[in-house]
């Protein structure tokens, strides 16, 4: 971005086989909030509820001290994006 932040974008249906856990583990182990990066996750529910933040929070707890702190920045986008800006 114009502010010097590198933005990673991942777009997928929220289901285990899409590897969201692999993506988050790698991202959170490599980066912290001190790094000029943000992971933007565009997703939607697939045979599950749409409470992605709760799922991420629970997953991060399982990673324990293997992730860098402070936790790297990420954003969740679960709504449809407009065709034009």
């Amino acid at each position: 971005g114009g502010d010097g932040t590198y933005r990673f974008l991942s777009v997928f249906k929220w289901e285990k086989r899409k590897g969201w856990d692999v993506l988050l583990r790698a991202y959170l182990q490599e980066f912290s909030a001190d790094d000029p990066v943000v992971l933007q996750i565009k997703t939607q529910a697939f045979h599950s509820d749409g409470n992605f933040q709760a799922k991420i929070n629970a997953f991060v707890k399982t990673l324990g001290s293997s992730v860098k702190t402070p936790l790297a920045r990420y954003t969740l986008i679960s709504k449809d994006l407009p065709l034009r800006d």
Side-chain angles (χ1 to χ4, degrees):
D3 61 357
T5 300
Y6 190 88
R7 301 178 195 296
F8 296 95
L9 173 64
S10 186
V11 180
F12 57 91
K13 287 189 290 184
W14 193 274
E15 55 184 341
K16 186 71 171 175
R17 71 182 186 91
K18 297 296 184 174
W20 62 265
D21 54 335
V22 176
L23 171 69
L24 282 171
R25 179 182 297 113
Y27 178 73
L28 297 173
Q29 288 177 341
E30 184 63 30
F31 300 107
S32 77
D34 296 329
D35 294 306
V37 298
V38 63
L39 172 62
Q40 297 177 315
I41 300 171
K42 170 63 177 100
T43 192
Q44 60 186 358
F46 184 74
H47 298 300
S48 67
D49 66 56
N51 193 349
F52 308 119
Q53 189 60 62
K55 292 174 189 205
I56 289 174
N57 291 344
F59 177 70
V60 169
K61 285 182 183 180
T62 69
L63 298 176
S65 63
S66 70
V67 298
K68 291 188 176 182
T69 55
L71 200 62
R73 294 173 292 157
Y74 63 89
T75 57
L76 288 169
I77 305 164
S78 58
K79 295 181 181 176
D80 289 336
L81 299 174
L83 293 175
R84 296 178 191 238
D85 195 21

